[in-house]
Structures are given as structure tokens and as C-alpha cells.
Amino acid sequence: MLREGERLDYLLAEDMKIIQSPSVFAFSLDAVLLANFVYVPIQKGNLVDLCTGNGVIPLLLSKRTKGKIIGVEIQEKIYDMAKRSVQYNELEEQIEIIHGDIKHMPAYLGHSKFDVVTCNPPYFPTPNEEEINKNEHFAIARHEIYCTLEDVIRVSSQLLKQGGKAAFVHRPERLLDIVTLMRQYRLEPKRLRFVYPKEGKEANTILIEGTKDGNRGLKILPPLVVYAQNGEYTSELKHILYGE
């Protein structure tokens, strides 16, 4: 099951395990927050997670919905990790992992087929060669090498049914770009939450959800604070992470 350099970790509050590799890919808090934030239909539906990495979001969503979930990952090594994690947790009937470029997914999976799209995309524009991470896997996960923010939002809209939900996690400095692109591609922003590392600090993460062809009206949700003043996770974070 495990390849060189890999480990099998418990998936937080859930009774599941996930394959990770410190030198290739390990999921971040951002992915966990997105899986907790997004609306999902409970009994049925079709969901797709773009830039799925090692499949953490599909695994977490499988605890919230009985719908069918697809994860799409372009890096073959990380795709293989995600696929084996799904097999380890015996979720092949619910979760499918696809090795491919998200830009090809509307043609491959079909337009207007999905109720929910999620994506924890690369956050940063591609820098020059001197600045880019020398670890290819990290560079692709963090920088817009294979897909831009516009690609992510355009593809999400193409995959969604009318009235379907798209949810993203990103950085606050890209908020205006995100909202502009969402409206350009018929995704009306409906819910927005700012994530703060500590009280009194600037937000360093945003969670945003839009509805395809939805009516105007954006709700700003209460702030989510990660760490209390004593350095421990806040009670809300503990609940999200560990079910406490």
C-alpha cells in the first residue's frame, strides 16, 4: 500500500486514514476548512473536487454526503496517493479519482452535470525560475503552473448545473480577482468567511461560495479564528479538526 517516503495518517476527526508524503504532498488546514465550509447535499448529488491533491477533500466530504464524488489531480504521483487512500478506506463506490488536467474536465465529464464543485487551487502566480520552489510537486501545488485562478473558476462554472454551488479557499489579497471572475463566469458570490490566525491579526485565508446564475446577495459569515491567545486551537477549530 505505501511507497517509499509515504506514511499513513489518521484523518483528524474522521475514522479514516490518508496516505501522505512530506517530500511530495501533505494536506493543509485550508483543505479541511473548505471541506467543512461548503454546502453539500446530504442524500444524493454529484460533487467534484478540482486540484484534489491526495484526495483529502473527497474523503472528508464522504462523511457529509451520500452523493458521488470525483477528485481531479494532474500530478500522477499525487493522484496515485489519492487513489490508494480511497481504496484503503473502501470508498471506491462513492469516490472516483481522475488523473487529468482540470481544463479538460468539462469535455471529459460533461457540462452542467454537477451539484457542487470545490477547489483549493494554487494560490500564487508563477514566479520566475529563480523564485520557484525547486521541489516540482510543491511548485505545482502552490503556483499557477498548470492552471490559473481564471481556469479554476471558468471550469467550475462549466461543470456546474444551474443553481449548483462552487466553493473555493484562497488568500484575501485575491478576493477582488475571485469575485470579478466569479461574476464573469456566472457564479454569484453568496457566502464569504474570513479566517484569522489569531485575534488582532489580519485575515490570511478566505472561504467563498457562489451559486451558478444565483440572485445577488452576499452573506459575510462570522470570522473564524484558528489559534487562541494561549497558542492552542480555538474551540471552533478543535470541533472542525477533531470533533471535540
Short mmCIF file of all heavy atoms in Angstrom, two decimals, residues 116-177:
data_model
loop_
_atom_site.label_atom_id
_atom_site.label_comp_id
_atom_site.label_asym_id
_atom_site.label_seq_id
_atom_site.Cartn_x
_atom_site.Cartn_y
_atom_site.Cartn_z
N VAL A 116 -22.12 20.35 -6.97
CA VAL A 116 -21.13 21.04 -6.15
C VAL A 116 -19.75 20.89 -6.78
O VAL A 116 -19.37 19.80 -7.21
CB VAL A 116 -21.09 20.46 -4.71
CG1 VAL A 116 -20.01 21.15 -3.87
CG2 VAL A 116 -22.44 20.58 -4.03
N VAL A 117 -19.00 21.99 -6.82
CA VAL A 117 -17.59 21.97 -7.21
C VAL A 117 -16.80 22.63 -6.09
O VAL A 117 -17.17 23.70 -5.60
CB VAL A 117 -17.33 22.72 -8.53
CG1 VAL A 117 -15.83 22.72 -8.85
CG2 VAL A 117 -18.11 22.11 -9.68
N THR A 118 -15.72 21.98 -5.67
CA THR A 118 -14.80 22.58 -4.70
C THR A 118 -13.41 22.67 -5.32
O THR A 118 -13.07 21.88 -6.21
CB THR A 118 -14.71 21.76 -3.40
OG1 THR A 118 -14.38 20.39 -3.73
CG2 THR A 118 -16.02 21.79 -2.63
N CYS A 119 -12.62 23.62 -4.83
CA CYS A 119 -11.23 23.69 -5.28
C CYS A 119 -10.38 24.47 -4.28
O CYS A 119 -10.75 25.56 -3.85
CB CYS A 119 -11.13 24.37 -6.65
SG CYS A 119 -9.46 24.28 -7.35
N ASN A 120 -9.28 23.85 -3.90
CA ASN A 120 -8.21 24.51 -3.14
C ASN A 120 -7.07 24.68 -4.15
O ASN A 120 -6.22 23.82 -4.28
CB ASN A 120 -7.80 23.61 -1.97
CG ASN A 120 -6.63 24.18 -1.18
OD1 ASN A 120 -6.26 25.34 -1.34
ND2 ASN A 120 -6.04 23.36 -0.33
N PRO A 121 -7.09 25.80 -4.90
CA PRO A 121 -6.20 25.91 -6.06
C PRO A 121 -4.81 26.40 -5.68
O PRO A 121 -4.57 26.82 -4.53
CB PRO A 121 -6.92 26.97 -6.90
CG PRO A 121 -7.53 27.88 -5.88
CD PRO A 121 -7.94 26.98 -4.72
N PRO A 122 -3.88 26.38 -6.64
CA PRO A 122 -2.61 27.06 -6.42
C PRO A 122 -2.88 28.54 -6.14
O PRO A 122 -3.68 29.16 -6.83
CB PRO A 122 -1.85 26.86 -7.74
CG PRO A 122 -2.53 25.72 -8.42
CD PRO A 122 -3.96 25.77 -7.99
N TYR A 123 -2.22 29.10 -5.14
CA TYR A 123 -2.54 30.47 -4.71
C TYR A 123 -1.75 31.55 -5.45
O TYR A 123 -2.19 32.68 -5.54
CB TYR A 123 -2.25 30.63 -3.21
CG TYR A 123 -3.21 29.88 -2.31
CD1 TYR A 123 -2.78 29.40 -1.08
CD2 TYR A 123 -4.53 29.67 -2.67
CE1 TYR A 123 -3.65 28.73 -0.23
CE2 TYR A 123 -5.40 28.99 -1.84
CZ TYR A 123 -4.96 28.53 -0.62
OH TYR A 123 -5.82 27.87 0.21
N PHE A 124 -0.56 31.20 -5.95
CA PHE A 124 0.36 32.25 -6.36
C PHE A 124 0.62 32.22 -7.86
O PHE A 124 0.79 31.14 -8.45
CB PHE A 124 1.69 32.10 -5.61
CG PHE A 124 1.50 32.01 -4.12
CD1 PHE A 124 1.70 30.81 -3.45
CD2 PHE A 124 1.09 33.12 -3.40
CE1 PHE A 124 1.52 30.72 -2.08
CE2 PHE A 124 0.90 33.03 -2.01
CZ PHE A 124 1.12 31.84 -1.37
N PRO A 125 0.67 33.40 -8.49
CA PRO A 125 1.08 33.45 -9.90
C PRO A 125 2.47 32.82 -10.05
O PRO A 125 3.26 32.80 -9.11
CB PRO A 125 1.12 34.95 -10.20
CG PRO A 125 0.22 35.58 -9.19
CD PRO A 125 0.37 34.73 -7.95
N THR A 126 2.75 32.30 -11.23
CA THR A 126 4.03 31.63 -11.46
C THR A 126 5.16 32.65 -11.43
O THR A 126 5.16 33.61 -12.21
CB THR A 126 4.02 30.90 -12.82
OG1 THR A 126 2.93 29.98 -12.83
CG2 THR A 126 5.32 30.14 -13.03
N PRO A 127 6.13 32.48 -10.54
CA PRO A 127 7.25 33.42 -10.46
C PRO A 127 8.31 33.09 -11.51
O PRO A 127 8.15 32.16 -12.30
CB PRO A 127 7.79 33.18 -9.04
CG PRO A 127 7.52 31.73 -8.81
CD PRO A 127 6.23 31.42 -9.55
N ASN A 128 9.41 33.84 -11.48
CA ASN A 128 10.50 33.48 -12.39
C ASN A 128 11.21 32.24 -11.86
O ASN A 128 10.97 31.80 -10.75
CB ASN A 128 11.47 34.66 -12.56
CG ASN A 128 12.09 35.09 -11.24
OD1 ASN A 128 12.54 34.25 -10.46
ND2 ASN A 128 12.14 36.39 -10.99
N GLU A 129 12.07 31.68 -12.67
CA GLU A 129 12.69 30.39 -12.35
C GLU A 129 13.49 30.43 -11.05
O GLU A 129 13.55 29.44 -10.32
CB GLU A 129 13.59 29.93 -13.51
CG GLU A 129 12.81 29.27 -14.64
CD GLU A 129 13.74 28.59 -15.62
OE1 GLU A 129 14.76 28.01 -15.19
OE2 GLU A 129 13.43 28.61 -16.81
N GLU A 130 14.10 31.58 -10.75
CA GLU A 130 14.91 31.66 -9.54
C GLU A 130 14.06 31.57 -8.28
O GLU A 130 14.49 31.06 -7.25
CB GLU A 130 15.70 32.97 -9.51
CG GLU A 130 16.83 33.05 -10.54
CD GLU A 130 16.33 33.28 -11.95
OE1 GLU A 130 15.28 33.95 -12.10
OE2 GLU A 130 16.96 32.78 -12.90
N GLU A 131 12.81 32.07 -8.36
CA GLU A 131 11.95 32.14 -7.18
C GLU A 131 11.11 30.88 -6.97
O GLU A 131 10.62 30.65 -5.88
CB GLU A 131 11.00 33.34 -7.30
CG GLU A 131 11.70 34.68 -7.30
CD GLU A 131 10.73 35.82 -7.58
OE1 GLU A 131 9.86 35.67 -8.46
OE2 GLU A 131 10.86 36.85 -6.93
N ILE A 132 10.94 30.08 -8.02
CA ILE A 132 10.02 28.95 -7.92
C ILE A 132 10.60 27.85 -7.05
O ILE A 132 11.83 27.67 -6.98
CB ILE A 132 9.67 28.41 -9.32
CG1 ILE A 132 8.33 27.69 -9.31
CG2 ILE A 132 10.75 27.50 -9.86
CD1 ILE A 132 7.72 27.54 -10.68
N ASN A 133 9.75 27.13 -6.35
CA ASN A 133 10.19 26.05 -5.46
C ASN A 133 10.90 24.97 -6.28
O ASN A 133 10.39 24.53 -7.30
CB ASN A 133 8.98 25.47 -4.73
CG ASN A 133 9.39 24.65 -3.53
OD1 ASN A 133 10.12 23.68 -3.64
ND2 ASN A 133 8.89 25.05 -2.36
N LYS A 134 12.04 24.55 -5.78
CA LYS A 134 12.82 23.54 -6.53
C LYS A 134 12.15 22.16 -6.48
O LYS A 134 12.42 21.30 -7.31
CB LYS A 134 14.24 23.45 -5.96
CG LYS A 134 15.04 24.73 -6.14
CD LYS A 134 15.23 25.07 -7.62
CE LYS A 134 16.12 26.28 -7.83
NZ LYS A 134 15.44 27.57 -7.67
N ASN A 135 11.28 21.94 -5.49
CA ASN A 135 10.51 20.70 -5.44
C ASN A 135 9.34 20.84 -6.42
O ASN A 135 8.43 21.65 -6.20
CB ASN A 135 10.01 20.46 -4.02
CG ASN A 135 9.25 19.16 -3.87
OD1 ASN A 135 8.38 18.83 -4.67
ND2 ASN A 135 9.57 18.41 -2.82
N GLU A 136 9.38 20.07 -7.48
CA GLU A 136 8.37 20.19 -8.54
C GLU A 136 6.94 20.02 -8.01
O GLU A 136 6.03 20.75 -8.39
CB GLU A 136 8.63 19.14 -9.64
CG GLU A 136 7.60 19.17 -10.75
CD GLU A 136 7.72 17.97 -11.69
OE1 GLU A 136 8.44 17.01 -11.33
OE2 GLU A 136 7.10 18.00 -12.76
N HIS A 137 6.74 19.07 -7.09
CA HIS A 137 5.40 18.79 -6.58
C HIS A 137 4.87 19.99 -5.78
O HIS A 137 3.71 20.37 -5.93
CB HIS A 137 5.41 17.54 -5.70
CG HIS A 137 5.92 16.32 -6.42
ND1 HIS A 137 5.21 15.73 -7.44
CD2 HIS A 137 7.06 15.60 -6.27
CE1 HIS A 137 5.90 14.69 -7.89
NE2 HIS A 137 7.01 14.59 -7.20
N PHE A 138 5.72 20.58 -4.96
CA PHE A 138 5.31 21.75 -4.19
C PHE A 138 5.06 22.94 -5.12
O PHE A 138 4.11 23.71 -4.92
CB PHE A 138 6.39 22.13 -3.16
CG PHE A 138 6.52 21.14 -2.04
CD1 PHE A 138 7.64 21.15 -1.23
CD2 PHE A 138 5.54 20.21 -1.77
CE1 PHE A 138 7.79 20.25 -0.18
CE2 PHE A 138 5.67 19.30 -0.73
CZ PHE A 138 6.80 19.32 0.07
N ALA A 139 5.92 23.10 -6.11
CA ALA A 139 5.77 24.23 -7.03
C ALA A 139 4.44 24.17 -7.76
O ALA A 139 3.73 25.19 -7.89
CB ALA A 139 6.94 24.24 -8.03
N ILE A 140 4.06 23.00 -8.24
CA ILE A 140 2.81 22.84 -8.98
C ILE A 140 1.62 23.07 -8.07
O ILE A 140 0.61 23.66 -8.47
CB ILE A 140 2.76 21.45 -9.65
CG1 ILE A 140 3.81 21.39 -10.77
CG2 ILE A 140 1.37 21.15 -10.20
CD1 ILE A 140 4.02 20.00 -11.33
N ALA A 141 1.71 22.61 -6.82
CA ALA A 141 0.60 22.77 -5.88
C ALA A 141 0.41 24.23 -5.47
O ALA A 141 -0.72 24.66 -5.21
CB ALA A 141 0.83 21.91 -4.64
N ARG A 142 1.49 25.00 -5.43
CA ARG A 142 1.43 26.36 -4.89
C ARG A 142 1.33 27.44 -5.96
O ARG A 142 0.83 28.54 -5.67
CB ARG A 142 2.67 26.61 -4.03
CG ARG A 142 2.69 25.76 -2.76
CD ARG A 142 4.02 25.84 -2.04
NE ARG A 142 4.02 24.97 -0.86
CZ ARG A 142 5.11 24.70 -0.14
NH1 ARG A 142 6.26 25.22 -0.47
NH2 ARG A 142 5.03 23.90 0.90
N HIS A 143 1.85 27.18 -7.15
CA HIS A 143 1.91 28.21 -8.19
C HIS A 143 1.05 27.85 -9.40
O HIS A 143 0.83 26.68 -9.69
CB HIS A 143 3.36 28.43 -8.63
CG HIS A 143 4.25 28.96 -7.54
ND1 HIS A 143 4.25 30.28 -7.17
CD2 HIS A 143 5.15 28.35 -6.73
CE1 HIS A 143 5.11 30.47 -6.18
NE2 HIS A 143 5.66 29.30 -5.89
N GLU A 144 0.59 28.87 -10.09
CA GLU A 144 -0.34 28.69 -11.22
C GLU A 144 0.42 28.20 -12.46
O GLU A 144 0.43 28.85 -13.51
CB GLU A 144 -1.09 29.99 -11.48
CG GLU A 144 -2.01 30.38 -10.33
CD GLU A 144 -2.72 31.71 -10.57
OE1 GLU A 144 -2.26 32.49 -11.45
OE2 GLU A 144 -3.74 31.96 -9.91
N ILE A 145 1.05 27.05 -12.35
CA ILE A 145 1.84 26.50 -13.44
C ILE A 145 0.94 25.80 -14.45
O ILE A 145 1.04 26.00 -15.66
CB ILE A 145 2.91 25.52 -12.89
CG1 ILE A 145 3.91 26.31 -12.02
CG2 ILE A 145 3.62 24.78 -14.02
CD1 ILE A 145 4.88 25.45 -11.25
N TYR A 146 0.02 24.97 -13.97
CA TYR A 146 -0.88 24.22 -14.86
C TYR A 146 -2.29 24.80 -14.93
O TYR A 146 -3.05 24.45 -15.83
CB TYR A 146 -0.96 22.75 -14.42
CG TYR A 146 0.27 21.95 -14.79
CD1 TYR A 146 0.95 21.21 -13.84
CD2 TYR A 146 0.75 21.94 -16.10
CE1 TYR A 146 2.08 20.47 -14.16
CE2 TYR A 146 1.89 21.21 -16.43
CZ TYR A 146 2.54 20.47 -15.47
OH TYR A 146 3.66 19.76 -15.80
N CYS A 147 -2.66 25.62 -13.96
CA CYS A 147 -3.98 26.25 -14.04
C CYS A 147 -3.96 27.58 -13.30
O CYS A 147 -3.32 27.70 -12.25
CB CYS A 147 -5.08 25.35 -13.48
SG CYS A 147 -5.00 25.06 -11.71
N THR A 148 -4.63 28.58 -13.88
CA THR A 148 -4.74 29.89 -13.26
C THR A 148 -6.03 29.97 -12.46
O THR A 148 -6.90 29.10 -12.56
CB THR A 148 -4.74 30.99 -14.33
OG1 THR A 148 -5.92 30.83 -15.13
CG2 THR A 148 -3.51 30.92 -15.21
N LEU A 149 -6.17 31.05 -11.72
CA LEU A 149 -7.42 31.29 -10.99
C LEU A 149 -8.59 31.36 -11.97
O LEU A 149 -9.67 30.80 -11.70
CB LEU A 149 -7.31 32.59 -10.19
CG LEU A 149 -8.53 33.01 -9.39
CD1 LEU A 149 -8.92 31.96 -8.36
CD2 LEU A 149 -8.26 34.35 -8.70
N GLU A 150 -8.38 32.01 -13.10
CA GLU A 150 -9.46 32.09 -14.09
C GLU A 150 -9.83 30.71 -14.62
O GLU A 150 -11.01 30.40 -14.81
CB GLU A 150 -9.07 33.01 -15.25
CG GLU A 150 -10.20 33.17 -16.27
CD GLU A 150 -9.99 34.29 -17.27
OE1 GLU A 150 -8.92 34.95 -17.21
OE2 GLU A 150 -10.88 34.51 -18.11
N ASP A 151 -8.83 29.85 -14.86
CA ASP A 151 -9.12 28.47 -15.30
C ASP A 151 -10.02 27.76 -14.29
O ASP A 151 -11.01 27.12 -14.66
CB ASP A 151 -7.83 27.66 -15.45
CG ASP A 151 -6.96 28.12 -16.61
OD1 ASP A 151 -7.50 28.63 -17.61
OD2 ASP A 151 -5.73 27.95 -16.50
N VAL A 152 -9.67 27.89 -13.01
CA VAL A 152 -10.42 27.21 -11.94
C VAL A 152 -11.87 27.66 -11.94
O VAL A 152 -12.80 26.85 -11.87
CB VAL A 152 -9.76 27.48 -10.57
CG1 VAL A 152 -10.69 27.10 -9.42
CG2 VAL A 152 -8.45 26.71 -10.46
N ILE A 153 -12.09 28.96 -12.01
CA ILE A 153 -13.46 29.49 -11.90
C ILE A 153 -14.25 29.22 -13.17
O ILE A 153 -15.43 28.86 -13.11
CB ILE A 153 -13.40 30.99 -11.55
CG1 ILE A 153 -12.85 31.14 -10.12
CG2 ILE A 153 -14.77 31.65 -11.68
CD1 ILE A 153 -12.59 32.56 -9.68
N ARG A 154 -13.61 29.34 -14.33
CA ARG A 154 -14.30 29.04 -15.59
C ARG A 154 -14.72 27.57 -15.64
O ARG A 154 -15.88 27.25 -15.98
CB ARG A 154 -13.38 29.35 -16.78
CG ARG A 154 -14.05 29.11 -18.15
CD ARG A 154 -13.08 29.23 -19.30
NE ARG A 154 -12.09 28.16 -19.30
CZ ARG A 154 -10.81 28.33 -18.99
NH1 ARG A 154 -10.35 29.52 -18.63
NH2 ARG A 154 -9.98 27.30 -19.02
N VAL A 155 -13.81 26.67 -15.31
CA VAL A 155 -14.11 25.24 -15.34
C VAL A 155 -15.20 24.89 -14.32
O VAL A 155 -16.11 24.10 -14.62
CB VAL A 155 -12.83 24.42 -15.09
CG1 VAL A 155 -13.15 22.96 -14.81
CG2 VAL A 155 -11.89 24.55 -16.28
N SER A 156 -15.13 25.49 -13.15
CA SER A 156 -16.15 25.23 -12.12
C SER A 156 -17.54 25.60 -12.65
O SER A 156 -18.49 24.83 -12.48
CB SER A 156 -15.85 26.04 -10.86
OG SER A 156 -14.62 25.65 -10.29
N SER A 157 -17.64 26.74 -13.30
CA SER A 157 -18.93 27.17 -13.84
C SER A 157 -19.41 26.23 -14.95
O SER A 157 -20.59 25.89 -15.01
CB SER A 157 -18.81 28.59 -14.39
OG SER A 157 -20.04 29.02 -14.93
N GLN A 158 -18.48 25.81 -15.79
CA GLN A 158 -18.86 24.90 -16.88
C GLN A 158 -19.38 23.56 -16.35
O GLN A 158 -20.31 22.97 -16.91
CB GLN A 158 -17.67 24.67 -17.81
CG GLN A 158 -17.30 25.90 -18.62
CD GLN A 158 -15.97 25.74 -19.35
OE1 GLN A 158 -15.12 24.92 -18.97
NE2 GLN A 158 -15.76 26.52 -20.40
N LEU A 159 -18.79 23.08 -15.26
CA LEU A 159 -19.19 21.78 -14.71
C LEU A 159 -20.51 21.84 -13.95
O LEU A 159 -21.24 20.85 -13.88
CB LEU A 159 -18.10 21.27 -13.77
CG LEU A 159 -16.77 20.85 -14.42
CD1 LEU A 159 -15.71 20.61 -13.36
CD2 LEU A 159 -16.95 19.60 -15.28
N LEU A 160 -20.83 23.01 -13.40
CA LEU A 160 -22.00 23.12 -12.52
C LEU A 160 -23.32 23.19 -13.26
O LEU A 160 -23.45 23.84 -14.30
CB LEU A 160 -21.88 24.38 -11.65
CG LEU A 160 -21.03 24.32 -10.40
CD1 LEU A 160 -21.02 25.69 -9.74
CD2 LEU A 160 -21.53 23.26 -9.43
N LYS A 161 -24.33 22.56 -12.65
CA LYS A 161 -25.71 22.78 -13.06
C LYS A 161 -26.13 24.19 -12.67
O LYS A 161 -25.53 24.81 -11.78
CB LYS A 161 -26.64 21.79 -12.34
CG LYS A 161 -26.38 20.33 -12.60
CD LYS A 161 -27.30 19.49 -11.71
CE LYS A 161 -27.07 18.00 -11.91
NZ LYS A 161 -27.89 17.19 -10.98
N GLN A 162 -27.18 24.69 -13.30
CA GLN A 162 -27.75 25.95 -12.84
C GLN A 162 -28.22 25.78 -11.40
O GLN A 162 -28.88 24.80 -11.06
CB GLN A 162 -28.92 26.36 -13.74
CG GLN A 162 -29.43 27.76 -13.44
CD GLN A 162 -30.44 28.23 -14.47
OE1 GLN A 162 -31.01 27.43 -15.22
NE2 GLN A 162 -30.67 29.52 -14.52
N GLY A 163 -27.86 26.72 -10.55
CA GLY A 163 -28.20 26.61 -9.13
C GLY A 163 -27.20 25.82 -8.32
O GLY A 163 -27.32 25.74 -7.10
N GLY A 164 -26.19 25.23 -8.98
CA GLY A 164 -25.16 24.48 -8.27
C GLY A 164 -24.21 25.41 -7.52
O GLY A 164 -24.16 26.61 -7.77
N LYS A 165 -23.46 24.84 -6.59
CA LYS A 165 -22.59 25.62 -5.71
C LYS A 165 -21.12 25.37 -6.06
O LYS A 165 -20.71 24.22 -6.27
CB LYS A 165 -22.80 25.23 -4.25
CG LYS A 165 -24.24 25.18 -3.78
CD LYS A 165 -24.82 26.55 -3.55
CE LYS A 165 -26.20 26.46 -2.91
NZ LYS A 165 -26.82 27.78 -2.73
N ALA A 166 -20.35 26.45 -6.06
CA ALA A 166 -18.89 26.36 -6.20
C ALA A 166 -18.26 27.00 -4.98
O ALA A 166 -18.64 28.11 -4.59
CB ALA A 166 -18.41 27.06 -7.46
N ALA A 167 -17.31 26.33 -4.36
CA ALA A 167 -16.66 26.86 -3.16
C ALA A 167 -15.14 26.78 -3.31
O ALA A 167 -14.61 25.78 -3.79
CB ALA A 167 -17.10 26.09 -1.92
N PHE A 168 -14.48 27.86 -2.90
CA PHE A 168 -13.03 27.96 -3.03
C PHE A 168 -12.42 28.44 -1.72
O PHE A 168 -13.05 29.17 -0.95
CB PHE A 168 -12.66 28.97 -4.13
CG PHE A 168 -13.40 28.78 -5.42
CD1 PHE A 168 -14.40 29.66 -5.80
CD2 PHE A 168 -13.13 27.71 -6.25
CE1 PHE A 168 -15.10 29.49 -6.98
CE2 PHE A 168 -13.82 27.51 -7.44
CZ PHE A 168 -14.81 28.41 -7.81
N VAL A 169 -11.17 28.05 -1.50
CA VAL A 169 -10.37 28.62 -0.42
C VAL A 169 -9.19 29.31 -1.08
O VAL A 169 -8.60 28.80 -2.03
CB VAL A 169 -9.93 27.54 0.60
CG1 VAL A 169 -9.10 26.43 -0.07
CG2 VAL A 169 -9.14 28.15 1.74
N HIS A 170 -8.86 30.51 -0.58
CA HIS A 170 -7.80 31.28 -1.24
C HIS A 170 -7.24 32.30 -0.26
O HIS A 170 -7.50 32.23 0.95
CB HIS A 170 -8.35 31.96 -2.50
CG HIS A 170 -7.37 31.95 -3.64
ND1 HIS A 170 -6.23 32.73 -3.63
CD2 HIS A 170 -7.37 31.29 -4.82
CE1 HIS A 170 -5.55 32.51 -4.77
NE2 HIS A 170 -6.22 31.64 -5.50
N ARG A 171 -6.49 33.24 -0.78
CA ARG A 171 -5.87 34.29 0.02
C ARG A 171 -6.66 35.59 -0.10
O ARG A 171 -7.16 35.91 -1.18
CB ARG A 171 -4.42 34.52 -0.43
CG ARG A 171 -3.52 33.33 -0.15
CD ARG A 171 -3.27 33.19 1.35
NE ARG A 171 -2.47 32.03 1.70
CZ ARG A 171 -2.94 30.92 2.24
NH1 ARG A 171 -4.23 30.81 2.49
NH2 ARG A 171 -2.15 29.92 2.55
N PRO A 172 -6.75 36.37 0.97
CA PRO A 172 -7.56 37.61 0.94
C PRO A 172 -7.13 38.59 -0.15
O PRO A 172 -7.97 39.30 -0.71
CB PRO A 172 -7.34 38.21 2.33
CG PRO A 172 -7.00 37.06 3.20
CD PRO A 172 -6.22 36.12 2.33
N GLU A 173 -5.84 38.62 -0.48
CA GLU A 173 -5.38 39.58 -1.48
C GLU A 173 -5.92 39.29 -2.87
O GLU A 173 -5.89 40.14 -3.75
CB GLU A 173 -3.84 39.66 -1.51
CG GLU A 173 -3.13 38.35 -1.78
CD GLU A 173 -2.69 37.66 -0.50
OE1 GLU A 173 -3.37 37.79 0.53
OE2 GLU A 173 -1.65 36.97 -0.55
N ARG A 174 -6.44 38.10 -3.07
CA ARG A 174 -7.05 37.76 -4.37
C ARG A 174 -8.57 37.87 -4.37
O ARG A 174 -9.23 37.50 -5.35
CB ARG A 174 -6.68 36.31 -4.77
CG ARG A 174 -5.19 36.00 -4.87
CD ARG A 174 -4.45 36.81 -5.93
NE ARG A 174 -4.94 36.61 -7.27
CZ ARG A 174 -4.55 35.61 -8.10
NH1 ARG A 174 -3.70 34.70 -7.66
NH2 ARG A 174 -5.00 35.54 -9.33
N LEU A 175 -9.15 38.40 -3.30
CA LEU A 175 -10.61 38.42 -3.17
C LEU A 175 -11.28 39.15 -4.33
O LEU A 175 -12.26 38.64 -4.89
CB LEU A 175 -11.02 39.05 -1.84
CG LEU A 175 -12.53 39.22 -1.61
CD1 LEU A 175 -13.26 37.88 -1.70
CD2 LEU A 175 -12.79 39.88 -0.26
N LEU A 176 -10.79 40.34 -4.68
CA LEU A 176 -11.45 41.09 -5.75
C LEU A 176 -11.31 40.38 -7.09
O LEU A 176 -12.24 40.38 -7.90
CB LEU A 176 -10.89 42.51 -5.82
CG LEU A 176 -11.21 43.39 -4.61
CD1 LEU A 176 -10.67 44.81 -4.81
CD2 LEU A 176 -12.70 43.44 -4.33
N ASP A 177 -10.15 39.75 -7.31
CA ASP A 177 -9.99 38.95 -8.54
C ASP A 177 -11.00 37.80 -8.56
O ASP A 177 -11.62 37.51 -9.59
CB ASP A 177 -8.57 38.35 -8.61
CG ASP A 177 -7.49 39.40 -8.71
OD1 ASP A 177 -7.78 40.49 -9.23
OD2 ASP A 177 -6.36 39.13 -8.26
#
